[in-house]
Coordinates of all heavy atoms in Angstrom, one line a residue:
N16 N 20.1 5.6 12.7 CA 19.7 4.2 12.3 C 19.0 3.4 13.4 O 18.0 2.7 13.1 CB 21.0 3.5 11.9 CG 21.5 3.9 10.6 OD1 20.7 4.2 9.6 ND2 22.8 4.0 10.4
L17 N 19.3 3.7 14.7 CA 18.6 3.1 15.7 C 17.2 3.5 15.8 O 16.2 2.7 15.9 CB 19.3 3.3 17.1 CG 20.5 2.6 17.5 CD1 21.0 3.0 18.9 CD2 20.2 1.1 17.5
L18 N 16.9 4.8 15.6 CA 15.6 5.3 15.6 C 14.8 4.8 14.4 O 13.6 4.5 14.5 CB 15.6 6.9 15.6 CG 16.1 7.6 16.9 CD1 16.2 9.0 16.6 CD2 15.1 7.3 18.0
T19 N 15.5 4.8 13.2 CA 14.8 4.3 12.0 C 14.3 2.8 12.2 O 13.3 2.4 11.8 CB 15.7 4.4 10.8 OG1 16.1 5.8 10.7 CG2 15.0 4.0 9.5
I20 N 15.2 2.0 12.8 CA 14.9 0.6 13.0 C 13.7 0.5 13.9 O 12.7 -0.3 13.7 CB 16.1 -0.1 13.6 CG1 17.2 -0.4 12.5 CG2 15.7 -1.5 14.2 CD1 18.5 -0.8 13.1
T21 N 13.7 1.4 15.0 CA 12.5 1.3 15.9 C 11.2 1.8 15.3 O 10.3 1.1 15.5 CB 12.9 2.3 17.1 OG1 14.1 2.0 17.7 CG2 11.8 2.3 18.1
I22 N 11.3 2.8 14.4 CA 10.1 3.3 13.7 C 9.6 2.2 12.8 O 8.4 1.9 12.7 CB 10.4 4.6 12.9 CG1 10.7 5.7 14.0 CG2 9.3 4.9 12.0 CD1 11.2 7.0 13.3
M23 N 10.5 1.5 12.1 CA 10.0 0.5 11.2 C 9.4 -0.7 11.9 O 8.4 -1.2 11.4 CB 11.3 0.0 10.3 CG 11.8 1.0 9.4 SD 13.4 0.4 8.6 CE 12.8 -0.9 7.5
L24 N 10.0 -1.0 13.1 CA 9.4 -2.2 13.9 C 8.0 -1.8 14.3 O 7.1 -2.6 14.3 CB 10.2 -2.5 15.0 CG 11.5 -3.3 14.7 CD1 12.5 -3.3 15.9 CD2 11.2 -4.6 14.1
V25 N 7.8 -0.5 14.8 CA 6.5 0.0 15.2 C 5.5 0.0 14.1 O 4.3 -0.5 14.2 CB 6.6 1.3 15.8 CG1 5.3 2.0 16.0 CG2 7.4 1.4 17.1
I26 N 5.9 0.4 12.9 CA 5.1 0.5 11.7 C 4.7 -1.0 11.3 O 3.5 -1.3 11.1 CB 5.8 1.2 10.6 CG1 5.9 2.6 10.8 CG2 4.9 1.0 9.2 CD1 6.7 3.4 9.8
K27 N 5.6 -1.9 11.3 CA 5.3 -3.2 10.9 C 4.4 -4.0 11.9 O 3.5 -4.6 11.5 CB 6.7 -4.0 10.8 CG 6.5 -5.4 10.4 CD 7.9 -6.1 10.4 CE 7.7 -7.6 10.0 NZ 9.0 -8.3 10.0
N28 N 4.6 -3.8 13.1 CA 3.9 -4.6 14.1 C 2.6 -4.0 14.7 O 1.7 -4.6 15.2 CB 4.8 -4.9 15.3 CG 6.0 -5.8 14.9 OD1 5.8 -6.7 14.2 ND2 7.2 -5.5 15.4
Y29 N 2.5 -2.6 14.5 CA 1.4 -2.0 15.2 C 0.5 -1.1 14.2 O -0.5 -0.6 14.6 CB 1.9 -1.1 16.4 CG 2.6 -1.9 17.5 CD1 3.9 -1.9 17.5 CD2 1.8 -2.6 18.4 CE1 4.6 -2.7 18.5 CE2 2.5 -3.4 19.4 CZ 3.9 -3.4 19.4 OH 4.4 -4.2 20.4
I30 N 1.1 -0.8 13.1 CA 0.3 0.1 12.2 C -0.1 -0.5 11.0 O -1.3 -0.4 10.5 CB 1.2 1.4 11.9 CG1 1.6 2.2 13.2 CG2 0.5 2.3 10.9 CD1 2.5 3.3 13.0
I31 N 0.8 -1.2 10.3 CA 0.5 -1.9 9.0 C -0.4 -3.2 9.2 O 0.0 -4.0 10.1 CB 1.7 -2.2 8.2 CG1 2.5 -0.9 7.8 CG2 1.4 -3.0 6.9 CD1 1.8 0.0 6.9
D32 N -1.5 -3.3 8.6 CA -2.4 -4.5 8.6 C -2.5 -5.1 7.2 O -3.2 -4.5 6.4 CB -3.8 -4.1 9.2 CG -4.6 -5.4 9.4 OD1 -4.4 -6.4 8.8 OD2 -5.5 -5.3 10.3
E33 N -1.8 -6.1 6.9 CA -1.7 -6.7 5.6 C -3.1 -7.2 5.1 O -3.4 -7.2 3.9 CB -0.7 -7.8 5.5 CG 0.7 -7.3 5.7 CD 1.7 -8.5 5.5 OE1 1.4 -9.5 5.2 OE2 3.0 -8.2 5.7
E34 N -3.9 -7.7 6.0 CA -5.3 -8.1 5.6 C -6.0 -6.9 5.1 O -6.8 -7.0 4.1 CB -6.0 -8.8 6.8 CG -5.3 -10.1 7.2 CD -6.1 -10.8 8.2 OE1 -7.2 -10.2 8.7 OE2 -5.7 -11.9 8.7
K35 N -6.0 -5.8 5.7 CA -6.7 -4.6 5.3 C -6.2 -4.1 4.0 O -7.0 -3.7 3.0 CB -6.6 -3.5 6.3 CG -7.5 -3.8 7.6 CD -7.3 -2.6 8.5 CE -8.2 -2.8 9.8 NZ -8.1 -1.7 10.7
I36 N -4.8 -4.2 3.8 CA -4.2 -3.8 2.5 C -4.8 -4.7 1.4 O -5.1 -4.2 0.3 CB -2.7 -3.8 2.7 CG1 -2.2 -2.7 3.6 CG2 -2.0 -3.7 1.3 CD1 -0.8 -2.8 4.0
H37 N -4.7 -6.0 1.7 CA -5.2 -6.9 0.6 C -6.6 -6.7 0.2 O -7.0 -6.6 -0.9 CB -5.1 -8.4 1.1 CG -5.4 -9.4 0.1 ND1 -6.7 -9.8 -0.1 CD2 -4.5 -10.1 -0.8 CE1 -6.6 -10.8 -1.1 NE2 -5.3 -10.8 -1.5
A38 N -7.5 -6.4 1.2 CA -8.9 -6.1 0.9 C -9.0 -4.8 0.2 O -9.9 -4.7 -0.8 CB -9.7 -5.9 2.3
K39 N -8.2 -3.9 0.5 CA -8.2 -2.6 -0.3 C -7.8 -2.8 -1.7 O -8.4 -2.2 -2.7 CB -7.3 -1.6 0.4 CG -7.2 -0.2 -0.1 CD -8.5 0.6 0.0 CE -8.4 1.9 -0.5 NZ -9.7 2.7 -0.4
I40 N -6.8 -3.6 -1.9 CA -6.3 -3.9 -3.3 C -7.5 -4.6 -4.1 O -7.6 -4.3 -5.3 CB -5.0 -4.7 -3.2 CG1 -3.9 -3.9 -2.8 CG2 -4.7 -5.3 -4.6 CD1 -2.6 -4.6 -2.6
E41 N -8.0 -5.5 -3.5 CA -9.1 -6.2 -4.2 C -10.3 -5.3 -4.5 O -10.9 -5.4 -5.7 CB -9.6 -7.4 -3.3 CG -8.6 -8.5 -3.1 CD -8.3 -9.2 -4.4 OE1 -9.2 -9.3 -5.3 OE2 -7.1 -9.5 -4.6
E42 N -10.6 -4.4 -3.6 CA -11.5 -3.4 -4.0 C -11.2 -2.5 -5.1 O -12.0 -2.1 -6.0 CB -11.8 -2.6 -2.7 CG -13.0 -1.6 -2.8 CD -13.2 -0.7 -1.5 OE1 -12.7 -1.2 -0.4 OE2 -13.8 0.4 -1.6
N43 N -9.9 -2.1 -5.1 CA -9.4 -1.3 -6.2 C -9.4 -1.9 -7.6 O -9.7 -1.3 -8.6 CB -7.9 -0.8 -5.9 CG -7.8 0.2 -4.8 OD1 -8.8 0.8 -4.4 ND2 -6.6 0.2 -4.2
K44 N -9.2 -3.3 -7.6 CA -9.3 -4.0 -8.8 C -10.7 -4.0 -9.4 O -10.8 -4.0 -10.6 CB -8.9 -5.5 -8.6 CG -7.4 -5.7 -8.3 CD -7.1 -7.1 -8.1 CE -5.7 -7.4 -7.8 NZ -5.4 -8.9 -7.6
K45 N -11.7 -3.9 -8.6 CA -13.1 -3.9 -9.1 C -13.4 -2.6 -9.7 O -14.4 -2.5 -10.5 CB -14.1 -4.3 -8.0 CG -13.8 -5.7 -7.5 CD -14.7 -6.0 -6.2 CE -14.5 -7.3 -5.6 NZ -15.3 -7.6 -4.5
K46 N -12.8 -1.5 -9.2 CA -13.1 -0.2 -9.8 C -12.6 0.0 -11.1 O -11.4 -0.4 -11.4 CB -12.6 0.9 -8.8 CG -13.2 0.9 -7.4 CD -12.5 2.0 -6.5 CE -13.1 2.0 -5.2 NZ -12.4 3.0 -4.3
P47 N -13.3 0.7 -12.0 CA -12.8 1.0 -13.4 C -11.6 2.0 -13.2 O -11.7 3.0 -12.5 CB -13.9 1.7 -14.1 CG -14.8 2.1 -13.0 CD -14.6 1.2 -11.8
K48 N -10.5 1.7 -13.9 CA -9.4 2.5 -13.8 C -9.2 3.4 -15.0 O -9.2 2.9 -16.1 CB -8.1 1.7 -13.6 CG -7.8 1.3 -12.1 CD -7.2 2.5 -11.4 CE -7.1 2.1 -9.9 NZ -6.5 3.3 -9.1
K49 N -9.0 4.7 -14.8 CA -8.7 5.5 -16.0 C -7.3 5.6 -16.2 O -6.4 5.9 -15.3 CB -9.2 7.0 -15.7 CG -9.1 7.9 -16.9 CD -9.6 9.3 -16.5 CE -9.4 10.2 -17.7 NZ -10.0 11.6 -17.3
E50 N -6.9 5.2 -17.4 CA -5.4 5.1 -17.7 C -4.8 6.4 -17.9 O -5.3 7.3 -18.7 CB -5.3 4.3 -19.0 CG -3.9 3.8 -19.3 CD -3.8 2.9 -20.5 OE1 -4.5 3.1 -21.5 OE2 -3.0 1.9 -20.4
G51 N -3.8 6.7 -17.2 CA -3.1 8.0 -17.3 C -2.4 8.1 -18.5 O -2.1 7.2 -19.3
K52 N -2.0 9.4 -18.9 CA -1.3 9.7 -20.2 C 0.1 9.0 -20.2 O 0.4 8.5 -21.2 CB -1.1 11.2 -20.3 CG -2.4 12.0 -20.5 CD -2.2 13.5 -20.7 CE -3.5 14.2 -20.9 NZ -3.3 15.7 -21.2
F53 N 0.7 9.1 -19.1 CA 2.1 8.5 -19.1 C 1.9 6.9 -19.2 O 2.7 6.3 -20.0 CB 2.8 8.8 -17.7 CG 4.1 8.1 -17.5 CD1 5.2 8.5 -18.3 CD2 4.3 7.0 -16.7 CE1 6.4 7.9 -18.1 CE2 5.5 6.3 -16.5 CZ 6.6 6.8 -17.2
R54 N 1.0 6.3 -18.4 CA 0.8 4.9 -18.5 C 0.4 4.5 -20.0 O 0.8 3.5 -20.6 CB -0.2 4.5 -17.6 CG -0.7 3.0 -17.6 CD 0.4 2.2 -16.9 NE 0.4 2.3 -15.5 CZ 1.1 1.5 -14.7 NH1 1.8 0.6 -15.2 NH2 1.0 1.7 -13.4
K55 N -0.4 5.3 -20.6 CA -1.0 5.1 -21.9 C 0.2 5.1 -22.9 O 0.3 4.2 -23.8 CB -2.0 6.0 -22.3 CG -2.7 5.7 -23.6 CD -3.8 6.8 -23.8 CE -4.5 6.5 -25.2 NZ -5.7 7.4 -25.4
R56 N 1.0 6.1 -22.9 CA 2.2 6.2 -23.8 C 3.2 5.1 -23.6 O 3.7 4.5 -24.5 CB 2.9 7.6 -23.6 CG 2.2 8.7 -24.2 CD 3.0 9.9 -24.4 NE 3.5 10.5 -23.1 CZ 2.9 11.4 -22.4 NH1 1.8 12.0 -22.9 NH2 3.3 11.8 -21.2

């Protein structure tokens, strides 16, 4: 649990960039999405 907490803090503070994630999501929204069979059903 100590190691997991350390890894999570490293990911949160040094790896994950929320601005880049937001930009990626906005870009995905503009792309046409093909609806999968499971989603369609």
Side-chain angles (χ1 to χ4, degrees):
N16 286 319
L17 281 182
L18 289 172
T19 305
I20 290 170
T21 304
I22 291 170
M23 289 173 69
L24 288 172
V25 170
I26 292 172
K27 178 182 177 182
N28 296 317
Y29 299 101
I30 298 176
I31 297 292
D32 189 335
E33 292 186 5
E34 291 184 2
K35 289 183 179 180
I36 292 173
H37 186 271
K39 182 69 175 176
I40 288 174
E41 292 299 324
E42 185 180 339
N43 288 340
K44 287 180 181 180
K45 296 174 184 178
K46 294 177 182 178
K48 275 283 179 183
K49 184 179 179 181
E50 194 173 40
K52 292 181 180 179
F53 175 75
R54 175 78 70 172
K55 187 176 182 179
R56 283 197 296 267

